[in-house]
Amino acid sequence: MRLKLEGKINSLYVQSLCMMFFRGEKFPLNEENPKAELYVKAIDEKEGVSCVAELICDSKAVTSQHFEAFNANDKYERTSKMAIGHAVFDACVRLTGYLPPWGLLTGIRPSVVADELISKYGETKAIEILQNKYLLSSDKAKLAVTVAKNEKLLLDSFDTSDCSIYISIPFCPTRCTYCSFISYATKKLFELIPQYIDRIIEETKDTFQLIKRLGLRVSTIYIGGGTPTTLSPQQLERLLSTVKACLGDNELAEFTVEGGRPDTITEEKLSVLKKYGVDRISVNPQSLNDEVLQKIGRKHSVKDFYDAYDLVSKSGINVVNTDLIAGLDGDSLESFKETVDKIIELNPENVTVHSFSVKKSAQILKDNSDIYNSDGGYADASVNYAYQRLTGSGYIPYYMYRQKNTVSDLENVGYAKKGTFGAYNVLMMGDGHTVFGIGAGATTKLVKKTNGKTEILRIFSPKYPYEYLQDNQSNMQKIIDFLKGGSSIDNY
């Protein structure tokens, strides 16, 4: 798609809006003979900002315009963005006939906008504004407000002296066709695991010493990947015993390990997790349809999931999560409904419902370049069904995020039984909590608050395991300089 922008316009925002309607679209600067072309012009006027958008695609052309008046509650940037958003959105809707359920909200966390509106106007007015001004559907507006309320309850239970630790185990038994995580399943890379364990144990010790030096308190630990239970019982024992020794008498609010793949879970591994205080674990079927599992590259069967879930339910680990994905290639509404119903029968404490998202590095895109255009129509009905069934069964939506190129422009929602919210899931997404990342592909997010102003510094570990093992750079001094008065730098 070719964009022509005139005026004070954020091109990335316009691209994000377009990608709701033209998923997988690219925006080269000098594209010849583009399939679609969008012209956007924004004009500052005395009373507000006006915008006109003209969209041409497949010999069809539509023009839309919108005027947004200045008001006391919004800065210029928001007024301008609203004018541009309405004009572009309306043009895309009229040309494609598709109405995205999240309206003008293109960001990862709709609940952030909802929380701001709640604080200013209250819940009822916030829902009204989300629907009328931001063009959300009624269901999505209510969901955003509900999640915002629950996230705030959880966030308010932590303070600035709390921090979290994320430990990356970027290895999986196989790679799912839709996966874009830094996870590996080759024999050559599995041979790196012993050396990798040595390195993250060393980094874990250093990180705990730094946290103590900074006067912080570890509140949550999350070991993810990849699939941490790809490790052997002995490797898990080495890692977890190190964490336990570093913690000392410090009591955690929660300690999570992703089991992820049912085919990696054994009674012996679960015994090790329980021994060292792990109180949350994921067992992720994604679907309870064997044909779908085979198509997406999962090594396990539906029976394997049930066997693993049975082991976990008997392990004594307090909270079990299951991940499901709506809109998977080869799935159907009836099949997804059956998956949801069967999961509810198991009664796990947490259920996370993801919407299928196509990532640039995913194998499925290499095998099927037209996957962006696959019919995701049933995905919307699947997500709605999950919401109705789960909330009707006592589950509460408590965290949510969105991704680009998701079928039907849908969301990912975490549901939990009362009293079992996963704190890390909320803390790691927000801008008020420090997270120390350990291992390949991990991100350290440092948060500093001074005189009511929040500064954030993100430090990225080397992406791949072999790069991580070769990297000798220490970020300890950078972290100390930032949190103890050094200058703010966006990225290292």
Side-chain angles (χ1 to χ4, degrees):
M1 175 180 283
R2 183 161 59 199
L3 299 181
K4 292 184 177 180
L5 309 179
E6 184 177 344
K8 300 174 184 176
I9 302 173
N10 185 320
S11 62
L12 292 178
Y13 176 57
V14 174
Q15 290 177 19
S16 296
L17 288 169
C18 291
M19 288 174 70
M20 293 182 184
F21 302 87
F22 303 92
R23 278 180 276 279
E25 190 61 68
K26 295 181 174 61
F27 303 88
L29 293 177
N30 300 309
E31 183 178 9
E32 296 183 6
N33 302 316
K35 180 181 178 181
E37 187 170 18
L38 175 66
Y39 169 71
V40 185
K41 182 178 182 180
I43 303 172
D44 290 347
E45 299 183 7
K46 183 178 180 181
E47 302 296 329
V49 179
S50 65
C51 182
V52 60
E54 182 181 7
L55 177 62
I56 304 170
C57 183
D58 293 334
S59 301
K60 294 172 59 179
V62 296
T63 301
S64 179
Q65 52 189 332
H66 183 84
F67 174 80
E68 189 71 19
F70 293 126
N71 65 81
N73 292 317
D74 293 332
K75 295 181 179 179
Y76 167 81
E77 289 77 14
R78 178 163 293 183
T79 301
S80 175
K81 190 174 183 180
M82 195 63 61
I84 296 165
H86 273 268
V88 172
F89 188 85
D90 182 62
C92 290
V93 169
R94 289 170 56 197
L95 189 140
T96 65
Y98 173 61
L99 183 63
W102 285 102
L104 300 182
L105 293 188
T106 60
I108 294 174
R109 299 182 61 212
S111 57
V112 172
V113 176
D115 180 63
E116 179 184 341
L117 293 173
I118 292 170
S119 65
K120 287 182 178 179
Y121 307 107
E123 293 177 32
T124 302
K125 185 66 174 178
I127 292 173
E128 179 184 325
I129 293 173
L130 287 170
Q131 290 181 245
N132 298 332
K133 187 172 182 177
Y134 290 89
L135 308 180
L136 274 66
S137 70
S138 174
D139 289 344
K140 300 309 180 190
K142 292 174 183 176
L143 175 61
V145 167
T146 298
V147 170
K149 288 165 49 185
N150 289 323
E151 284 184 345
K152 188 175 189 308
L153 285 172
L154 194 150
L155 291 171
D156 286 348
S157 65
F158 294 86
D159 60 39
T160 54
S161 66
D162 289 307
C163 68
S164 294
I165 292 176
Y166 175 83
I167 301 176
S168 170
I169 308 294
F171 304 93
C172 283
T174 61
R175 184 168 182 171
C176 300
T177 60
Y178 55 77
C179 182
S180 66
F181 288 132
I182 309 304
S183 53
Y184 296 89
T186 67
K187 180 180 179 182
K188 183 177 180 180
L189 286 160
F190 275 151
E191 291 173 353
L192 294 177
I193 290 180
Q195 186 181 355
Y196 185 83
I197 295 298
D198 289 341
R199 178 65 186 276
I200 61 172
I201 283 176
E202 177 185 340
E203 189 180 1
T204 297
K205 292 177 180 177
D206 291 343
T207 300
F208 270 96
Q209 289 177 359
L210 176 62
I211 289 170
K212 183 177 181 180
R213 180 177 175 183
L214 293 168
L216 300 175
R217 178 179 64 250
V218 179
S219 54
T220 78
I221 296 177
Y222 192 103
I223 302 180
T227 307
T229 44
T230 300
L231 302 182
S232 69
Q234 294 74 26
Q235 290 165 340
L236 285 169
E237 177 106 27
R238 284 196 63 209
L239 175 59
L240 295 179
S241 64
T242 299
V243 172
K244 181 69 173 177
C246 291
L247 278 170
D249 296 330
N250 181 29
E251 292 188 9
L252 297 172
E254 64 180 38
F255 191 171
T256 306
V257 170
E258 281 190 36
R261 298 294 193 89
D263 46 317
T264 66
I265 294 173
T266 67
E267 187 174 357
E268 187 177 1
K269 292 178 186 180
L270 292 171
S271 178
V272 173
L273 300 186
K274 177 64 177 175
K275 175 182 176 181
Y276 290 101
V278 172
D279 56 7
R280 302 179 66 92
I281 187 171
S282 290
V283 191
N284 302 332
Q286 315 299 25
S287 169
L288 293 181
N289 181 316
D290 278 324
E291 291 181 7
V292 174
L293 292 175
Q294 186 175 11
K295 191 165 187 177
I296 64 176
R298 302 286 280 193
K299 187 179 179 181
H300 66 85
S301 66
V302 172
K303 181 180 182 302
D304 291 332
F305 164 72
Y306 277 109
D307 289 344
Y309 190 91
D310 185 58
L311 289 176
V312 170
S313 65
K314 295 175 181 176
S315 69
I317 295 175
N318 297 336
V319 177
V320 182
N321 173 74
T322 61
D323 276 9
L324 308 178
I325 301 180
L328 283 172
D329 188 28
D331 206 355
S332 67
L333 175 58
E334 291 307 313
S335 174
F336 186 79
K337 283 182 175 181
E338 186 176 355
T339 292
V340 172
D341 292 343
K342 288 180 177 178
I343 290 297
I344 289 175
E345 288 178 8
L346 291 176
N347 199 35
E349 286 74 23
N350 290 184
V351 179
T352 306
V353 179
H354 298 271
S355 299
F356 178 53
S357 177
V358 182
K359 305 299 179 59
K360 291 181 181 179
S361 59
Q363 185 62 43
I364 194 170
L365 187 58
K366 298 175 185 177
D367 296 338
N368 179 8
S369 60
D370 197 44
I371 190 68
Y372 279 124
N373 301 317
S374 295
D375 180 15
Y378 85 87
D380 187 49
S382 296
V383 166
N384 290 338
Y385 181 80
Y387 175 83
Q388 296 297 333
R389 286 286 286 120
L390 288 166
T391 55
S393 300
Y395 290 91
I396 304 166
Y398 76 98
Y399 87 99
M400 172 176 59
Y401 64 99
R402 296 171 63 217
Q403 297 168 285
K404 293 181 180 179
N405 293 317
T406 299
V407 291
S408 299
D409 192 42
L410 295 168
E411 68 282 352
N412 307 310
V413 181
Y415 298 85
K417 294 283 190 179
K418 186 176 181 180
T420 68
F421 291 179
Y424 178 83
N425 293 325
V426 177
L427 294 169
M428 59 85 64
M429 289 192 297
D431 295 335
H433 185 82
T434 289
V435 178
F436 292 90
I438 296 172
T443 300
T444 291
K445 179 188 67 177
L446 306 173
V447 179
K448 178 172 66 175
K449 296 186 178 182
T450 307
N451 299 324
K453 180 182 178 182
T454 298
E455 295 180 77
I456 297 175
L457 168 66
R458 289 181 173 86
I459 302 174
F460 303 98
S461 295
K463 188 174 182 180
Y464 301 103
Y466 53 84
E467 292 177 338
Y468 171 74
L469 291 172
Q470 294 172 357
D471 181 58
N472 294 316
Q473 180 181 0
S474 172
N475 293 309
M476 300 298 179
Q477 192 57 50
K478 295 174 185 177
I479 294 171
I480 293 170
D481 288 345
F482 177 75
L483 292 179
K484 292 298 183 181
S487 61
S488 173
I489 303 174
D490 288 336
N491 297 298
Y492 282 102

